[in-house]
Amino acid sequence: MNLTPKRLLGATAAVSIGATALLGAGAGTADARGRAYCDRAERPVWSGDPSRNVTGHGCSMPSNGRRWYTVEIDTLVQPHHETDYRNGPVDRTETLHDRTIRCMGYTTRGDTVNWFGCVPH
């Protein structure tokens, strides 16, 4: 095969177009990978164990459905309940910053996102 400048130029163009297409497809995949972000969230702690449900506010949602979602939270408030009852007394409240959790799914109602099946990341 005789490599002429015209063929070399064509091969270089094909490689650069392919690389651009691959880089373009990879750009903005944070949402496609199931990542979300919330300004503030609450997660109750019952009898020493955190709830598997988290209520988020000011959340940016992923663009497609996934099996697991990674949720980055700026401020996570955890009220520690004295009993296992929702309206029971709160012993203390703990505020955590810059936390990441993984959740199985979510439901939305207005500006509130209810994450369920959540575990620490």
Side-chain angles (χ1 to χ4, degrees):
M1 182 167 139
N2 188 5
L3 296 177
T4 63
K6 190 182 266 188
R7 284 188 180 176
L8 287 174
L9 182 62
T12 303
V15 169
S16 66
I17 289 170
T20 303
L22 288 174
L23 289 174
T29 57
D31 285 346
R33 289 193 335 238
R35 295 184 82 74
Y37 168 82
C38 293
D39 290 329
R40 184 175 55 86
E42 297 91 27
R43 175 175 57 185
V45 177
W46 311 101
S47 301
D49 293 325
S51 173
R52 298 287 186 216
N53 298 325
V54 175
T55 303
H57 306 280
C59 298
S60 65
M61 303 305 295
S63 61
N64 64 349
R66 300 286 296 183
R67 186 174 186 106
W68 284 93
Y69 298 91
T70 301
V71 185
E72 297 172 1
I73 303 170
D74 271 352
T75 304
L76 177 62
V77 178
Q78 296 187 138
H80 291 257
H81 293 266
E82 292 180 9
T83 65
D84 286 337
Y85 298 103
R86 182 179 176 104
N87 295 329
V90 175
D91 179 39
R92 64 187 168 89
T93 300
E94 183 178 15
T95 302
L96 306 171
H97 299 282
D98 300 323
R99 296 296 173 176
T100 301
I101 59 173
R102 288 179 50 89
C103 299
M104 287 179 55
Y106 65 92
T107 60
T108 59
R109 185 172 187 193
D111 293 338
T112 302
V113 179
N114 295 304
W115 298 97
F116 58 85
C118 300
V119 295
H121 185 60

